[in-house]
């Protein structure tokens, strides 16, 4: 997964290029998207085994206006937006996710980036749920912690 430093580096090296976000199903977020939010998202939780955990990420919300098909965001403009967001981002080591409604609001971690022609192409990946207490649930190799026998869920 890409972090903020890696994202800034590729944007700053290619300021005049456009941006393409490729969803996990190989379709693209329409090129006239807006970045409407840059957020620091912190999730504090207890897993099914009782362990307290915390995750933190940077989320870029992409939104497509139905009546603004002439809009285009350059890599340089996104770099300047990220610079402004530095006031709320505690670290450039945070992983970056793109939030998009496709058709449900989902967050897609950035898997990789490459420069191709006149654009920086970001490949997005899916997120998955998981049991974080497999040993306590007796599921070292199982994919679900919600069995009657485990008693942890």
């Amino acid at each position: 997964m890409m972090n903020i430093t890696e994202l800034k580096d590729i944007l700053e090296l290619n300021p005049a290029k456009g941006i393409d976000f490729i969803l996990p199903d190989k379709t693209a977020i329409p090129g006239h998207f807006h970045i409407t939010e840059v957020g620091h998202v912190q999730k504090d939780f207890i897993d099914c085994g009782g362990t307290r955990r915390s995750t933190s990420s940077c989320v870029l919300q992409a939104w497509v206006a139905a009546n603004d098909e002439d809009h285009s965001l350059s890599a340089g403009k996104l770099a300047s937006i990220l610079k402004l967001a530095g006031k709320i981002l505690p670290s450039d080591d945070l992983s970056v996710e793109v939030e998009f409604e496709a058709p449900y609001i989902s967050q897609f971690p950035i898997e990789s980036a490459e420069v191709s022609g006149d654009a920086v192409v970001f490949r997005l990946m899916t997120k998955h749920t998981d049991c974080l207490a497999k040993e306590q649930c007796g599921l070292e190799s199982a994919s679900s912690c919600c069995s009657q026998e485990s008693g942890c869920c």
Side-chain angles (χ1 to χ4, degrees):
M1 292 194 328
M2 183 172 287
N3 68 26
I4 296 171
T5 297
E6 295 163 331
L7 176 60
K8 284 180 177 177
D9 287 349
I10 195 160
L11 294 172
E12 290 169 0
L13 287 172
N14 299 281
K17 299 215 181 272
I19 298 170
D20 292 334
F21 287 121
I22 307 301
L23 295 165
D25 68 359
K26 310 285 189 254
T27 62
I29 293 177
H32 56 281
F33 69 89
H34 295 251
I35 295 296
T36 57
E37 296 177 8
V38 177
H40 169 229
V41 177
Q42 171 116 4
K43 178 180 171 184
D44 297 310
F45 60 100
I46 302 289
D47 69 22
C48 61
T51 301
R52 184 179 186 158
R53 297 181 187 264
S54 182
T55 63
S56 188
S57 63
C58 171
V59 177
L60 309 177
Q61 184 182 76
W63 174 72
V64 176
N67 60 350
D68 186 18
E69 293 188 14
D70 295 329
H71 182 268
S72 146
L73 183 67
S74 71
K77 178 65 175 173
L78 182 53
S80 67
I81 292 169
L82 286 171
K83 187 175 182 179
L84 287 173
K87 298 171 190 171
I88 61 140
L89 299 170
S91 167
D92 280 356
D93 291 332
L94 294 175
S95 61
V96 181
E97 299 177 356
V98 175
E99 182 176 82
F100 184 64
E101 189 173 351
Y104 306 103
I105 297 174
S106 298
Q107 292 172 349
F108 303 96
I110 299 177
E111 182 175 32
S112 64
E114 64 186 8
V115 177
S116 179
D118 60 353
V120 180
V121 179
F122 293 97
R123 304 225 177 263
L124 307 179
M125 56 194 274
T126 56
K127 292 169 62 170
H128 301 280
T129 60
D130 193 8
C131 175
L132 300 177
K134 287 184 180 81
E135 285 184 23
Q136 289 177 313
C137 292
L139 301 168
E140 293 82 25
S141 62
S143 62
S144 171
C145 70
C146 297
S147 66
Q148 284 281 75
E149 300 81 39
S150 71
C152 77
C153 294

